[in-house]
PDB file of all heavy atoms in Angstrom:
ATOM      1  N   ARG A 374      43.831 -45.983 -34.044  1.00 88.00           N
ATOM      2  CA  ARG A 374      44.025 -47.074 -33.085  1.00 88.00           C
ATOM      3  C   ARG A 374      45.337 -47.777 -33.289  1.00 88.00           C
ATOM      4  O   ARG A 374      46.052 -48.143 -32.334  1.00 88.00           O
ATOM      5  CB  ARG A 374      42.843 -48.065 -33.197  1.00 88.00           C
ATOM      6  CG  ARG A 374      42.896 -49.205 -32.195  1.00 88.00           C
ATOM      7  CD  ARG A 374      42.830 -48.695 -30.764  1.00 88.00           C
ATOM      8  NE  ARG A 374      42.832 -49.804 -29.813  1.00 88.00           N
ATOM      9  CZ  ARG A 374      43.068 -49.667 -28.518  1.00 88.00           C
ATOM     10  NH1 ARG A 374      43.300 -48.460 -28.003  1.00 88.00           N
ATOM     11  NH2 ARG A 374      43.057 -50.732 -27.729  1.00 88.00           N
ATOM     12  N   HIS A 376      48.007 -46.452 -34.480  1.00 88.00           N
ATOM     13  CA  HIS A 376      49.032 -45.524 -33.971  1.00 88.00           C
ATOM     14  C   HIS A 376      49.188 -45.690 -32.456  1.00 88.00           C
ATOM     15  O   HIS A 376      50.326 -45.731 -31.953  1.00 88.00           O
ATOM     16  CB  HIS A 376      48.610 -44.098 -34.328  1.00 88.00           C
ATOM     17  CG  HIS A 376      49.586 -43.075 -33.894  1.00 88.00           C
ATOM     18  ND1 HIS A 376      50.867 -42.959 -34.430  1.00 88.00           N
ATOM     19  CD2 HIS A 376      49.485 -42.062 -32.984  1.00 88.00           C
ATOM     20  CE1 HIS A 376      51.512 -41.978 -33.878  1.00 88.00           C
ATOM     21  NE2 HIS A 376      50.670 -41.380 -33.002  1.00 88.00           N
ATOM     22  N   ILE A 377      48.068 -45.797 -31.747  1.00 86.00           N
ATOM     23  CA  ILE A 377      48.124 -45.972 -30.293  1.00 86.00           C
ATOM     24  C   ILE A 377      48.756 -47.290 -29.932  1.00 86.00           C
ATOM     25  O   ILE A 377      49.637 -47.389 -29.049  1.00 86.00           O
ATOM     26  CB  ILE A 377      46.702 -45.895 -29.701  1.00 86.00           C
ATOM     27  CG1 ILE A 377      46.068 -44.511 -29.958  1.00 86.00           C
ATOM     28  CG2 ILE A 377      46.703 -46.208 -28.216  1.00 86.00           C
ATOM     29  CD1 ILE A 377      46.767 -43.363 -29.325  1.00 86.00           C
ATOM     30  N   LEU A 378      48.350 -48.364 -30.632  1.00 86.00           N
ATOM     31  CA  LEU A 378      48.876 -49.671 -30.330  1.00 86.00           C
ATOM     32  C   LEU A 378      50.392 -49.763 -30.614  1.00 86.00           C
ATOM     33  O   LEU A 378      51.115 -50.492 -29.911  1.00 86.00           O
ATOM     34  CB  LEU A 378      48.116 -50.741 -31.160  1.00 86.00           C
ATOM     35  CG  LEU A 378      46.643 -50.958 -30.762  1.00 86.00           C
ATOM     36  CD1 LEU A 378      46.006 -51.938 -31.703  1.00 86.00           C
ATOM     37  CD2 LEU A 378      46.511 -51.426 -29.316  1.00 86.00           C
ATOM     38  N   LYS A 379      50.827 -49.047 -31.650  1.00 83.00           N
ATOM     39  CA  LYS A 379      52.268 -49.031 -31.919  1.00 83.00           C
ATOM     40  C   LYS A 379      53.034 -48.432 -30.754  1.00 83.00           C
ATOM     41  O   LYS A 379      54.141 -48.857 -30.407  1.00 83.00           O
ATOM     42  CB  LYS A 379      52.552 -48.255 -33.202  1.00 83.00           C
ATOM     43  CG  LYS A 379      52.272 -49.029 -34.465  1.00 83.00           C
ATOM     44  CD  LYS A 379      52.603 -48.245 -35.720  1.00 83.00           C
ATOM     45  CE  LYS A 379      52.392 -49.089 -36.976  1.00 83.00           C
ATOM     46  NZ  LYS A 379      52.702 -48.311 -38.206  1.00 83.00           N
ATOM     47  N   GLY A 380      52.441 -47.401 -30.150  1.00 82.00           N
ATOM     48  CA  GLY A 380      53.041 -46.808 -28.964  1.00 82.00           C
ATOM     49  C   GLY A 380      53.129 -47.780 -27.813  1.00 82.00           C
ATOM     50  O   GLY A 380      54.125 -47.865 -27.087  1.00 82.00           O
ATOM     51  N   PHE A 381      52.034 -48.559 -27.653  1.00 79.00           N
ATOM     52  CA  PHE A 381      51.998 -49.579 -26.598  1.00 79.00           C
ATOM     53  C   PHE A 381      53.110 -50.606 -26.808  1.00 79.00           C
ATOM     54  O   PHE A 381      53.820 -51.003 -25.885  1.00 79.00           O
ATOM     55  CB  PHE A 381      50.655 -50.274 -26.541  1.00 79.00           C
ATOM     56  CG  PHE A 381      49.522 -49.405 -26.045  1.00 79.00           C
ATOM     57  CD1 PHE A 381      48.201 -49.818 -26.202  1.00 79.00           C
ATOM     58  CD2 PHE A 381      49.772 -48.175 -25.442  1.00 79.00           C
ATOM     59  CE1 PHE A 381      47.158 -49.054 -25.764  1.00 79.00           C
ATOM     60  CE2 PHE A 381      48.706 -47.383 -25.024  1.00 79.00           C
ATOM     61  CZ  PHE A 381      47.411 -47.802 -25.189  1.00 79.00           C
ATOM     62  N   LEU A 382      53.217 -51.025 -28.082  1.00 78.00           N
ATOM     63  CA  LEU A 382      54.195 -52.074 -28.394  1.00 78.00           C
ATOM     64  C   LEU A 382      55.636 -51.577 -28.160  1.00 78.00           C
ATOM     65  O   LEU A 382      56.522 -52.368 -27.806  1.00 78.00           O
ATOM     66  CB  LEU A 382      54.029 -52.530 -29.836  1.00 78.00           C
ATOM     67  CG  LEU A 382      52.756 -53.311 -30.144  1.00 78.00           C
ATOM     68  CD1 LEU A 382      52.642 -53.540 -31.654  1.00 78.00           C
ATOM     69  CD2 LEU A 382      52.726 -54.636 -29.409  1.00 78.00           C
ATOM     70  N   LYS A 383      55.876 -50.261 -28.339  1.00 77.00           N
ATOM     71  CA  LYS A 383      57.222 -49.725 -28.129  1.00 77.00           C
ATOM     72  C   LYS A 383      57.648 -49.800 -26.670  1.00 77.00           C
ATOM     73  O   LYS A 383      58.840 -50.021 -26.384  1.00 77.00           O
ATOM     74  CB  LYS A 383      57.269 -48.263 -28.606  1.00 77.00           C
ATOM     75  CG  LYS A 383      57.443 -48.121 -30.088  1.00 77.00           C
ATOM     76  CD  LYS A 383      57.578 -46.628 -30.460  1.00 77.00           C
ATOM     77  CE  LYS A 383      57.739 -46.477 -31.964  1.00 77.00           C
ATOM     78  NZ  LYS A 383      57.907 -45.072 -32.340  1.00 77.00           N
ATOM     79  N   ILE A 384      56.729 -49.603 -25.761  1.00 77.00           N
ATOM     80  CA  ILE A 384      57.114 -49.540 -24.343  1.00 77.00           C
ATOM     81  C   ILE A 384      56.916 -50.877 -23.647  1.00 77.00           C
ATOM     82  O   ILE A 384      57.273 -50.985 -22.469  1.00 77.00           O
ATOM     83  CB  ILE A 384      56.318 -48.427 -23.626  1.00 77.00           C
ATOM     84  CG1 ILE A 384      54.805 -48.633 -23.777  1.00 77.00           C
ATOM     85  CG2 ILE A 384      56.717 -47.065 -24.144  1.00 77.00           C
ATOM     86  CD1 ILE A 384      54.137 -49.404 -22.745  1.00 77.00           C
ATOM     87  N   LEU A 385      56.363 -51.898 -24.359  1.00 73.00           N
ATOM     88  CA  LEU A 385      56.145 -53.177 -23.689  1.00 73.00           C
ATOM     89  C   LEU A 385      57.461 -53.848 -23.288  1.00 73.00           C
ATOM     90  O   LEU A 385      57.536 -54.549 -22.261  1.00 73.00           O
ATOM     91  CB  LEU A 385      55.336 -54.121 -24.565  1.00 73.00           C
ATOM     92  CG  LEU A 385      53.849 -53.822 -24.718  1.00 73.00           C
ATOM     93  CD1 LEU A 385      53.181 -54.801 -25.661  1.00 73.00           C
ATOM     94  CD2 LEU A 385      53.179 -53.830 -23.350  1.00 73.00           C
ATOM     95  N   ASN A 386      58.505 -53.631 -24.089  1.00 70.00           N
ATOM     96  CA  ASN A 386      59.793 -54.278 -23.799  1.00 70.00           C
ATOM     97  C   ASN A 386      60.600 -53.460 -22.768  1.00 70.00           C
ATOM     98  O   ASN A 386      61.666 -53.904 -22.318  1.00 70.00           O
ATOM     99  CB  ASN A 386      60.625 -54.440 -25.068  1.00 70.00           C
ATOM    100  CG  ASN A 386      59.974 -55.412 -26.035  1.00 70.00           C
ATOM    101  OD1 ASN A 386      59.342 -56.377 -25.613  1.00 70.00           O
ATOM    102  ND2 ASN A 386      60.145 -55.149 -27.343  1.00 70.00           N
ATOM    103  N   LEU A 388      59.154 -51.794 -19.862  1.00 72.00           N
ATOM    104  CA  LEU A 388      58.138 -51.422 -18.889  1.00 72.00           C
ATOM    105  C   LEU A 388      58.749 -50.778 -17.657  1.00 72.00           C
ATOM    106  O   LEU A 388      58.266 -49.766 -17.135  1.00 72.00           O
ATOM    107  CB  LEU A 388      57.279 -52.641 -18.512  1.00 72.00           C
ATOM    108  CG  LEU A 388      56.230 -53.090 -19.538  1.00 72.00           C
ATOM    109  CD1 LEU A 388      55.525 -54.341 -19.072  1.00 72.00           C
ATOM    110  CD2 LEU A 388      55.228 -51.982 -19.778  1.00 72.00           C
ATOM    111  N   LEU A 414      57.914 -41.270 -29.000  1.00 81.00           N
ATOM    112  CA  LEU A 414      56.463 -41.398 -29.142  1.00 81.00           C
ATOM    113  C   LEU A 414      55.815 -40.063 -29.516  1.00 81.00           C
ATOM    114  O   LEU A 414      56.403 -39.001 -29.282  1.00 81.00           O
ATOM    115  CB  LEU A 414      55.842 -41.907 -27.833  1.00 81.00           C
ATOM    116  CG  LEU A 414      56.315 -43.258 -27.318  1.00 81.00           C
ATOM    117  CD1 LEU A 414      55.710 -43.519 -25.929  1.00 81.00           C
ATOM    118  CD2 LEU A 414      55.958 -44.369 -28.289  1.00 81.00           C
ATOM    119  N   GLN A 418      50.231 -40.811 -28.402  1.00 80.00           N
ATOM    120  CA  GLN A 418      50.644 -42.111 -27.887  1.00 80.00           C
ATOM    121  C   GLN A 418      51.050 -42.015 -26.410  1.00 80.00           C
ATOM    122  O   GLN A 418      50.692 -42.875 -25.595  1.00 80.00           O
ATOM    123  CB  GLN A 418      51.847 -42.646 -28.688  1.00 80.00           C
ATOM    124  CG  GLN A 418      51.460 -43.154 -30.082  1.00 80.00           C
ATOM    125  CD  GLN A 418      52.648 -43.518 -30.913  1.00 80.00           C
ATOM    126  OE1 GLN A 418      53.728 -42.863 -30.809  1.00 80.00           O
ATOM    127  NE2 GLN A 418      52.527 -44.536 -31.782  1.00 80.00           N
ATOM    128  N   LYS A 420      50.000 -39.824 -24.161  1.00 80.00           N
ATOM    129  CA  LYS A 420      48.821 -39.629 -23.302  1.00 80.00           C
ATOM    130  C   LYS A 420      48.041 -40.954 -23.150  1.00 80.00           C
ATOM    131  O   LYS A 420      47.500 -41.233 -22.098  1.00 80.00           O
ATOM    132  CB  LYS A 420      47.939 -38.559 -23.888  1.00 80.00           C
ATOM    133  CG  LYS A 420      48.533 -37.168 -23.746  1.00 80.00           C
ATOM    134  CD  LYS A 420      47.587 -36.101 -24.351  1.00 80.00           C
ATOM    135  CE  LYS A 420      48.177 -34.696 -24.149  1.00 80.00           C
ATOM    136  NZ  LYS A 420      47.314 -33.656 -24.707  1.00 80.00           N
ATOM    137  N   SER A 421      47.973 -41.734 -24.207  1.00 80.00           N
ATOM    138  CA  SER A 421      47.284 -43.013 -24.144  1.00 80.00           C
ATOM    139  C   SER A 421      47.995 -43.965 -23.203  1.00 80.00           C
ATOM    140  O   SER A 421      47.354 -44.747 -22.476  1.00 80.00           O
ATOM    141  CB  SER A 421      47.194 -43.659 -25.551  1.00 80.00           C
ATOM    142  OG  SER A 421      46.474 -42.849 -26.429  1.00 80.00           O
ATOM    143  N   ILE A 422      49.345 -43.965 -23.206  1.00 76.00           N
ATOM    144  CA  ILE A 422      50.124 -44.836 -22.288  1.00 76.00           C
ATOM    145  C   ILE A 422      49.855 -44.411 -20.852  1.00 76.00           C
ATOM    146  O   ILE A 422      49.680 -45.279 -19.961  1.00 76.00           O
ATOM    147  CB  ILE A 422      51.610 -44.736 -22.634  1.00 76.00           C
ATOM    148  CG1 ILE A 422      51.861 -45.451 -23.972  1.00 76.00           C
ATOM    149  CG2 ILE A 422      52.469 -45.357 -21.535  1.00 76.00           C
ATOM    150  CD1 ILE A 422      53.231 -45.205 -24.538  1.00 76.00           C
ATOM    151  N   LEU A 423      49.768 -43.137 -20.598  1.00 79.00           N
ATOM    152  CA  LEU A 423      49.489 -42.659 -19.233  1.00 79.00           C
ATOM    153  C   LEU A 423      48.106 -43.049 -18.770  1.00 79.00           C
ATOM    154  O   LEU A 423      47.848 -43.167 -17.557  1.00 79.00           O
ATOM    155  CB  LEU A 423      49.675 -41.124 -19.147  1.00 79.00           C
ATOM    156  CG  LEU A 423      51.106 -40.597 -19.317  1.00 79.00           C
ATOM    157  CD1 LEU A 423      51.125 -39.082 -19.388  1.00 79.00           C
ATOM    158  CD2 LEU A 423      52.006 -41.085 -18.172  1.00 79.00           C
ATOM    159  N   LEU A 425      46.717 -45.903 -19.475  1.00 75.00           N
ATOM    160  CA  LEU A 425      46.655 -47.348 -19.325  1.00 75.00           C
ATOM    161  C   LEU A 425      46.451 -47.721 -17.883  1.00 75.00           C
ATOM    162  O   LEU A 425      47.038 -47.153 -16.960  1.00 75.00           O
ATOM    163  CB  LEU A 425      47.946 -48.003 -19.854  1.00 75.00           C
ATOM    164  CG  LEU A 425      48.058 -48.316 -21.310  1.00 75.00           C
ATOM    165  CD1 LEU A 425      49.440 -48.846 -21.630  1.00 75.00           C
ATOM    166  CD2 LEU A 425      47.022 -49.356 -21.738  1.00 75.00           C
ATOM    167  N   ILE A 438      47.077 -56.997 -27.029  1.00 82.00           N
ATOM    168  CA  ILE A 438      47.457 -55.780 -27.753  1.00 82.00           C
ATOM    169  C   ILE A 438      48.114 -56.141 -29.085  1.00 82.00           C
ATOM    170  O   ILE A 438      47.848 -55.537 -30.112  1.00 82.00           O
ATOM    171  CB  ILE A 438      48.417 -54.932 -26.887  1.00 82.00           C
ATOM    172  CG1 ILE A 438      47.637 -54.304 -25.702  1.00 82.00           C
ATOM    173  CG2 ILE A 438      49.068 -53.804 -27.726  1.00 82.00           C
ATOM    174  CD1 ILE A 438      48.504 -53.638 -24.686  1.00 82.00           C
TER     175      ILE A 438
END
Side-chain angles (χ1 to χ4, degrees):
R374 182 61 179 164
H376 182 65
I377 298 298
L378 292 176
K379 281 182 177 179
F381 291 167
L382 291 172
K383 279 184 180 181
I384 55 91
L385 286 178
N386 295 326
L388 283 177
L414 300 173
Q418 287 173 325
K420 288 180 179 180
S421 298
I422 290 169
L423 291 174
L425 274 175
I438 289 171

